[in-house]
Amino acid sequence: MPIYVYAVTNEDGSEGEAFEVLQDMDEPPLTQHPETGQPVQRLISAPNAPRRWTDSQAKAKLAPKNLERMGFTQYKKSGKGVYEKTAGSGPDTIVKE
């Protein structure tokens, strides 16, 4: 559901207080403030679309230094069933049988 921005319409035609409302796309626009009953109009605003995720962003987020700073422990597979720690606290190696 998108968040729509509305503004109270003052008696002189100027915009008053702005507020946000979470509504379904198929709901009609509000004509009155939900709490005060004052007339409102929906404002046009830029959409808040997620940005594209790039490989360099993923590498930076998953870098050992960043993971350790965030309190995570990272292991890399170094052989069959053997994992070595690259960041964080915990055992230096884990062996899965």
Side-chain angles (χ1 to χ4, degrees):
M1 281 196 292
I3 296 176
Y4 291 103
V5 180
Y6 288 88
V8 172
T9 306
N10 295 324
E11 290 181 15
D12 63 358
S14 65
E15 290 181 3
E17 169 198 8
F19 61 97
E20 297 176 341
V21 177
L22 184 66
Q23 290 181 291
D24 281 328
M25 291 179 74
D26 59 349
E27 286 184 51
L30 296 178
T31 57
Q32 295 181 331
H33 193 288
E35 295 174 3
T36 64
Q38 294 175 290
V40 298
Q41 63 180 4
R42 188 159 60 186
L43 303 177
I44 296 174
S45 59
N48 185 8
R51 295 181 301 157
R52 184 176 174 174
W53 187 260
T54 63
D55 288 341
S56 61
Q57 288 173 320
K59 286 179 183 177
K61 294 279 185 192
L62 297 175
K65 192 173 189 178
N66 190 46
L67 290 173
E68 190 166 358
R69 182 181 60 81
M70 301 288 282
F72 291 97
T73 301
Q74 180 183 47
Y75 290 91
K76 295 279 183 172
K77 190 171 186 176
S78 64
K80 187 173 182 179
V82 179
Y83 297 85
E84 293 182 354
K85 179 177 67 174
T86 57
S89 60
D92 291 333
T93 58
I94 296 175
V95 179
K96 292 186 97 180
E97 297 176 11

